[in-house]
Amino acid sequence: MSKYIISRGVLTMNDLINKKVVQHNDLITSVAKMDITPLKFFEIAVASLDISNIPADRTVCVSKKVLYSFFEAKSKNRHTRFKQVVLSLHQQAVFQIREMDEKRGKYNYQIISPLSKTEWNDYNDLVYFKFTEEIMPYLVDLKDNFTQYSLVNIKKLKSKYSVILFRWIVMNYNQYEYYNNKKNRSNQLLERFKNPEISVEELRKLTHTEKSYTQFNNFERRVLKEAEIEINEFTYLNLRYKKIKSGKSITSIQFFIERKESAPNAFYKEEQQDEQYLLSIEEKEKQNKDLYAESMQNNYTKILADAGIISLQNLQDLDSMVYLQKYVFPLYDELKLKDNKRRSISDENNPVKYHIDYLKNHMSEYSDSKKNISRYLLISVEDWLKKI
């Protein structure tokens, strides 16, 4: 390890979540062919890169404890899992970058592996990530056409599509904020970046789903809807989308982006915005603990557990239970109200039990439902309410 000359100290967790991920827009719009955890590892490595003092060997250093904390890895076999993720990172970490040749009006394509080596040992806390020469122009000395955001925004995102779409959404919204502060700004240009539109074909390329979720309903549920829910829940942006048709076919998606009121503004001083944002995180953590306690006392939790829909692991997952209490259980209340009025059922829980029993018998149709049970339950009850 001593052969590495590291130009900065090892980052703490507070340092890391405050760090900005800065990437060229060509990297943002490239196809990232990797799963969620390797993708986050790459983002952490990028955030750890001190662009004002680039190491000669292109190597950054991160604490294992920081990585475990970022991923909330508490299990005893986390060291083994860490090695598996690093192996997956090097097997999967490939960007297919597309750049426009202005003279020819056609695209040039490159396949780039971002990391050449990751190194660690069993007797200290350090992990070394070494970038390839080919990826560096997309990470350093960026004068224009780049996007930046705080790493904390992707920490809680569980779907790789949420991370991919969040990066693309931020790229557009940052452009909107930039042009919105110009004197001679164009309303048409502002609209284009604040409410960007992308063809379904391009969106499938971006998310690497050309051969996945071939039915649009599945694509919407697993990619669009899940990303919308997670981005709204865990980042500084609010997002909604509209499907645009040509004839009977859905040909493009338009996104509508808003900055949350409590989120930092890109044009405030960075020290102030980081302090405000971290404060809001602390407040949110306290609220989440209260919501978790409420969820454990909620009768809907018992109904779901008795039906075998949620497991002990789900009950111990704070994020999942907070999500149920905050988003799903209020819709169960609405279901009781609507269905009782429609059917005059005396047992107030009967409509919810009926719905949950239906889910129990049909969950095998959705192979990923157990993986993201809280989101599956939300989408299911939303669809159920539409039907009645």
Side-chain angles (χ1 to χ4, degrees):
M1 293 292 184
S2 58
K3 62 181 178 293
Y4 289 136
I5 303 172
I6 306 302
S7 64
R8 55 178 299 155
V10 181
L11 296 173
T12 67
M13 187 59 186
N14 283 338
D15 290 333
L16 187 63
I17 64 174
N18 258 330
K19 292 295 293 180
K20 300 288 189 295
V21 181
V22 183
Q23 299 177 19
H24 194 280
N25 289 345
D26 285 340
L27 199 59
I28 297 293
T29 58
S30 68
V31 180
K33 297 184 178 181
M34 58 186 103
D35 294 331
I36 178 65
T37 305
L39 181 56
K40 284 186 177 180
F41 260 67
F42 173 71
E43 298 283 290
I44 290 171
V46 173
S48 305
L49 187 64
D50 185 354
I51 59 175
S52 64
N53 188 16
I54 305 299
D57 58 8
R58 308 184 305 280
T59 301
V60 297
C61 183
V62 184
S63 160
K64 288 182 196 172
K65 291 179 181 177
V66 169
L67 292 172
Y68 293 150
S69 179
F70 186 89
F71 289 101
E72 299 178 1
K74 299 175 183 178
S75 61
K76 292 181 180 179
N77 67 338
R78 63 184 183 180
H79 184 69
T80 302
R81 290 180 58 201
F82 167 79
K83 288 192 284 188
Q84 292 171 344
V85 169
V86 171
L87 179 61
S88 297
L89 173 63
H90 282 273
Q91 290 174 336
Q92 297 179 6
V94 172
F95 288 99
Q96 180 178 307
I97 298 175
R98 184 179 65 175
E99 298 174 329
M100 173 60 76
D101 186 322
E102 298 295 343
K103 291 182 179 179
R104 295 178 174 85
K106 294 184 178 181
Y107 287 106
N108 294 320
Y109 297 89
Q110 296 184 64
I111 305 295
I112 293 180
S113 297
L115 296 173
S116 63
K117 180 162 60 174
T118 301
E119 191 170 345
W120 73 96
N121 56 48
D122 293 331
Y123 49 83
N124 70 22
D125 182 50
L126 304 181
V127 182
Y128 298 86
F129 296 99
K130 184 172 183 177
F131 292 100
T132 61
E133 286 187 22
E134 290 77 13
I135 199 69
M136 294 304 284
Y138 298 94
L139 304 178
V140 300
D141 295 332
L142 302 177
K143 302 295 188 290
D144 53 23
N145 294 326
F146 66 90
T147 296
Q148 69 173 6
Y149 53 86
S150 295
L151 188 65
V152 68
N153 284 283
I154 68 165
K155 182 177 185 295
K156 295 283 188 178
L157 300 181
K158 296 182 178 180
S159 165
K160 71 174 183 178
Y161 306 122
S162 300
V163 176
I164 291 168
L165 279 175
F166 173 73
R167 285 154 39 109
W168 187 83
I169 290 296
V170 171
M171 178 186 74
N172 283 277
Y173 194 79
N174 283 1
Q175 293 276 56
Y176 161 75
E177 288 192 324
Y178 173 78
Y179 287 111
N180 195 36
N181 284 270
K182 295 288 186 181
K183 289 183 179 180
N184 299 321
R185 57 182 182 267
S186 163
N187 290 334
Q188 186 176 2
L189 191 63
L190 292 177
E191 174 75 12
R192 172 188 161 195
F193 289 121
K194 192 169 187 291
N195 303 320
E197 185 176 331
I198 184 172
S199 71
V200 172
E201 181 182 2
E202 284 296 314
L203 186 55
R204 281 189 174 277
K205 287 180 181 177
L206 182 68
T207 54
H208 196 215
T209 53
E210 297 101 319
K211 297 181 181 179
S212 306
Y213 316 121
T214 52
Q215 295 295 322
F216 185 83
N217 286 344
N218 290 336
F219 175 77
E220 180 177 18
R221 180 174 62 86
R222 293 295 292 117
V223 178
L224 289 173
K225 191 67 178 178
E226 194 162 311
E228 178 189 39
I229 290 169
E230 290 194 343
I231 289 170
N232 289 344
E233 172 73 1
F234 298 122
T235 77
Y236 72 99
L237 296 175
N238 278 323
L239 176 69
R240 60 185 179 89
Y241 66 87
K242 179 176 74 173
K243 294 173 283 188
I244 298 175
K245 288 186 174 183
S246 176
K248 294 183 178 180
S249 300
I250 298 168
T251 55
S252 61
I253 304 294
Q254 185 170 19
F255 294 96
F256 302 89
I257 315 167
E258 295 287 345
R259 177 182 286 274
K260 293 176 183 175
E261 290 183 6
S262 61
N265 186 290
F267 297 98
Y268 290 170
K269 290 175 64 177
E270 286 194 5
E271 294 83 356
Q272 293 175 341
Q273 69 176 8
D274 289 340
E275 183 178 348
Q276 290 170 1
Y277 203 25
L278 285 175
L279 180 61
S280 70
I281 291 172
E282 291 176 3
E283 292 171 349
K284 186 173 181 180
E285 286 178 351
K286 182 181 182 303
Q287 291 173 358
N288 284 348
K289 288 179 181 178
D290 293 339
L291 287 168
Y292 178 76
E294 291 175 21
S295 73
M296 297 305 289
Q297 299 297 320
N298 198 307
N299 191 45
Y300 297 138
T301 298
K302 183 178 184 304
I303 296 172
L304 289 166
D306 289 346
I309 301 290
I310 56 176
S311 63
L312 178 61
Q313 185 178 359
N314 299 136
L315 292 171
Q316 294 173 336
D317 186 337
L318 183 143
D319 289 338
S320 291
M321 298 309 299
V322 166
Y323 194 91
L324 292 176
Q325 180 66 26
K326 193 172 181 180
Y327 296 107
V328 179
F329 293 166
L331 293 185
Y332 284 174
D333 288 336
E334 186 179 340
L335 175 59
K336 282 197 307 184
L337 181 63
K338 283 187 176 181
D339 215 88
N340 280 338
K341 284 182 177 180
R342 185 167 67 100
R343 301 178 186 231
S344 300
I345 296 174
S346 57
D347 181 357
E348 65 173 1
N349 283 327
N350 207 18
V352 177
K353 285 182 178 178
Y354 180 80
H355 169 63
I356 289 173
D357 285 342
Y358 176 85
L359 292 185
K360 180 181 179 181
N361 294 325
H362 290 80
M363 281 185 71
S364 59
E365 298 175 11
Y366 306 103
S367 59
D368 293 331
S369 59
K370 285 286 187 181
K371 189 186 296 184
N372 296 290
I373 188 66
S374 54
R375 287 153 185 79
Y376 169 77
L377 291 173
L378 176 67
I379 293 169
S380 298
V381 72
E382 285 179 337
D383 290 343
W384 195 270
L385 284 166
K386 287 177 185 177
K387 291 176 182 177
I388 67 170

